[in-house]
Amino acid sequence: MTICGITAEYNPFHTGHAHHIAQTRRLLGEDTAIVCAMSGNFVQRGDFAVLGKYARAEMAVRCGADLVIELPLAAALCSAEGFARGAAAVLHALDCDTLSFGAEHPDVSLLLRAAQALDALPLTGAAAAPLSYAAQRQAELRRLDPAAAALLDHPNNTLAVEYCRAMQPYGMRPLAVARQGAAHDAAAPNAGFASASLLRQHLRAGDDSFCRPFLPPDAQAVWQRAAAAGQAPVSLPDDVLLALARTALAQGRLSSGTADGFDERLQNAVYQAVSFADAVARARTRRFPAARVRRALLRAVLGIPADAAVQPQYVRILAIGPRGRAVLRRAGAHTALPLIVKPVTEKRLPDALQPTLRRDAFADDLFALALPDTAQRAGGSHYRQTPFYLPHS
C-alpha cells in the first residue's frame, strides 16, 4: 500500500485542499492512502484555529483524506523549518513513503536543489542583520544560487523547500502539486478558489454565504453544525492572552532563546501593551514579523520552551476513514511511538511523556475559552473528545 503524507492546517478545509488531495491520488493511484498531519487548535501564524481540531479533521476525512493525525504542538507553533521537520517525523512514524505538498513552482528538481543549497549554507551576520531570519537566509542563498533563492519569494515554495530538507533523513519521496487559484493570503477569490485567510475573515464576521462556493459540501455541513452548537467561529481571546503573557513575563518565561534583541523587544511590548494585539504591534518590525511575534508569545503562554523538540513523542489520532484503519494497523505493528486514539488513556502512558501531554491538555483548555458558547468553556474538554470515524461507504 502506498501511503502518502500531507501537512496542512485546514483552517478551514476548502476547495484548494480538496484539489490537492485529488491531484495527489491522480498522480500516485486511486488506492493511495492519504495521511494528513494537521496543526491542532493553534496554527503556524500564531493564532487560534477558526474551528476545533477534531471538526477540521472530520472535514478532511469526509473530503478525501484517510487518516488525520495531529502535528506536535511545538512544531505547529514554529518557523517553516521546524514546522516541516515535525511534520516529516510524525508522517514517517505512520509509514508514509511519499510527502505531497503544494507549491507555486512544482519543479521537484529545483526544490531539491534549493534544499541542498540551504543545507550547505553558512549564515553570517544573522544576529546583527536588519532583515528577518527568512529574508537574511534568502539573501545569502541568492549569492550562491539565484534560481533557487527566487523560489523563496513565495510562501508555499518556502515550505516546499523545507519539506524537501526535512524528509531526506527518512528516505521519503517528494511530490509537488501545483497550487491553483488564489494565492496565499490573497484578498479576493481567483478561479474558483479563495485563500484560507480570506475565508476565516468572512467566517468570523458571520458571512457564511460568501464562503459557500469555496467550501466542499461536506466541509460546509461540518462548519454549520459546529456554528449551530456554539463551537465556531473561534477568535483569539485578546485579554486572556495578554494576562497569560504578563504572567509568563513575571515568571521569566518570555524568552525565544535568541540573542538578536528579540526577547527584550517582546518583554517591553508585553509590559507596555494594553491588549495582546497591541503587544504584537509594538514588538513587530521588518526584522521581527508579526507571525514570529505571535508564535513566540503563544509558546510562552503555553509553556513551550524555546528548545522544545519538534519531533513527536506520540501520535495523536484526530479522524479515521476506512483506509485509515489499515494504516493504523500497519503502523501499530512496529512504530515505537504510542498511538493515542482516546485521550482518556493518556494517563496510563509513561511518566516521561506526561509533561508534554499535560501541555496539550492545557492548550485545549485555553482554546475552549475562545468558544462562542460560554457554557462550553469549562476545563477538561481534552479528555472528552474522541476521533471522528468515517464508516465504510
Side-chain angles (χ1 to χ4, degrees), residues 194-216:
S195 68
S197 59
L198 180 63
L199 294 174
R200 287 192 299 274
Q201 176 185 330
H202 283 271
L203 290 171
R204 283 172 170 154
D207 187 7
D208 294 13
S209 60
F210 173 89
C211 302
R212 218 164 280 136
F214 311 109
L215 299 179

Side-chain angles (χ1 to χ4, degrees), residues 286-364:
R286 182 185 179 196
R287 186 180 176 196
F288 305 134
R292 179 182 174 186
V293 173
R294 288 193 298 267
R295 284 196 303 268
L297 292 175
L298 276 180
R299 288 174 71 94
V301 162
L302 294 168
I304 304 173
D307 60 352
V310 296
Q311 285 78 12
Q313 297 175 270
Y314 42 82
V315 180
R316 186 181 306 284
I317 313 302
L318 299 179
I320 307 169
R323 213 162 3 198
R325 292 171 173 81
V327 175
L328 284 178
R329 285 194 296 270
R330 176 167 151 176
H334 64 80
T335 183
L337 298 178
L339 301 179
I340 299 175
V341 179
K342 295 181 179 180
V344 72
T345 65
E346 292 177 11
K347 295 177 182 178
R348 298 201 294 267
L349 293 177
D351 290 346
L353 301 181
Q354 293 303 320
T356 308
L357 290 166
R358 285 194 294 269
R359 190 172 67 208
D360 288 353
F362 173 68
D364 289 349

Side-chain angles (χ1 to χ4, degrees), residues 9-33:
E9 297 196 307
Y10 298 148
N11 187 32
F13 189 99
H14 55 64
T15 49
H17 298 131
H19 171 80
H20 180 200
I21 291 175
Q23 286 296 100
T24 297
R25 278 224 173 81
R26 184 185 68 80
L27 294 168
L28 295 179
E30 288 303 313
D31 291 335
T32 299

Side-chain angles (χ1 to χ4, degrees), residues 260-278:
D260 54 4
F262 184 49
D263 285 0
E264 183 179 359
R265 190 169 187 90
L266 272 183
Q267 292 160 8
N268 288 337
V270 168
Y271 186 72
Q272 297 167 4
V274 298
S275 68
F276 187 83
D278 183 38

Side-chain angles (χ1 to χ4, degrees), residues 9 11 38-44 46-57 70-73 76-77 204 231 234-237 298 302 316 318 360-371 381-382 385:
E9 297 196 307
N11 187 32
M38 189 190 78
S39 297
N41 287 330
F42 297 87
V43 294
Q44 205 244 350
D47 195 4
F48 284 47
V50 73
L51 178 65
K53 59 188 179 184
Y54 285 97
R56 289 170 22 247
E70 185 172 358
L71 187 66
L73 182 60
L77 287 173
R204 283 172 170 154
Q231 297 167 352
V234 174
S235 297
L236 183 148
L298 276 180
L302 294 168
R316 186 181 306 284
L318 299 179
D360 288 353
F362 173 68
D364 289 349
D365 282 345
L366 178 58
F367 183 81
L369 291 178
L371 295 178
S381 63
H382 175 85
Q385 293 180 298

Side-chain angles (χ1 to χ4, degrees), residues 43-319:
V43 294
Q44 205 244 350
R45 65 178 57 219
D47 195 4
F48 284 47
V50 73
L51 178 65
K53 59 188 179 184
Y54 285 97
R56 289 170 22 247
E58 178 183 346
M59 286 179 169
V61 165
R62 287 190 180 278
C63 296
D66 295 300
L67 183 67
V68 181
I69 59 178
E70 185 172 358
L71 187 66
L73 182 60
L77 287 173
C78 206
S79 65
E81 184 177 355
F83 186 91
R85 284 193 290 114
V90 75
L91 289 169
H92 173 70
L94 268 295
D95 267 350
C96 293
D97 47 52
T98 305
L99 201 156
S100 175
F101 46 81
E104 286 89 355
H105 299 88
D107 181 340
V108 168
S109 61
L110 184 57
L111 293 169
L112 288 170
R113 193 172 96 194
Q116 292 163 0
L118 282 177
D119 283 341
L121 186 66
L123 259 182
T124 57
L131 302 175
S132 69
Y133 171 76
Q136 172 72 5
R137 186 173 63 163
Q138 186 178 16
E140 296 278 355
L141 183 60
R142 190 173 291 115
R143 287 194 280 271
L144 299 178
D145 191 333
L151 287 174
L152 305 186
D153 288 336
H154 304 276
N156 288 286
N157 283 346
T158 299
L159 260 178
V161 170
E162 293 299 345
Y163 291 139
C164 288
R165 296 178 71 194
M167 70 178 72
Q168 288 175 7
Y170 306 114
M172 300 167 75
R173 296 174 296 164
L175 176 66
V177 175
R179 277 183 56 83
Q180 298 291 321
H184 183 81
D185 280 346
N190 181 26
F193 298 91
S195 68
S197 59
L198 180 63
L199 294 174
R200 287 192 299 274
Q201 176 185 330
H202 283 271
L203 290 171
R204 283 172 170 154
D207 187 7
D208 294 13
S209 60
F210 173 89
C211 302
R212 218 164 280 136
F214 311 109
L215 299 179
D218 283 331
Q220 287 182 43
V222 173
W223 173 266
Q224 289 165 1
R225 188 185 70 224
Q231 297 167 352
V234 174
S235 297
L236 183 148
D238 204 278
D239 291 343
V240 170
L241 286 184
L242 180 61
L244 290 172
R246 288 264 178 91
T247 302
L249 175 62
Q251 295 176 348
R253 294 187 288 107
L254 195 55
S255 172
S256 66
T258 62
D260 54 4
F262 184 49
D263 285 0
E264 183 179 359
R265 190 169 187 90
L266 272 183
Q267 292 160 8
N268 288 337
V270 168
Y271 186 72
Q272 297 167 4
V274 298
S275 68
F276 187 83
D278 183 38
V280 174
R282 287 173 182 270
R284 68 179 296 184
T285 65
R286 182 185 179 196
R287 186 180 176 196
F288 305 134
R292 179 182 174 186
V293 173
R294 288 193 298 267
R295 284 196 303 268
L297 292 175
L298 276 180
R299 288 174 71 94
V301 162
L302 294 168
I304 304 173
D307 60 352
V310 296
Q311 285 78 12
Q313 297 175 270
Y314 42 82
V315 180
R316 186 181 306 284
I317 313 302
L318 299 179

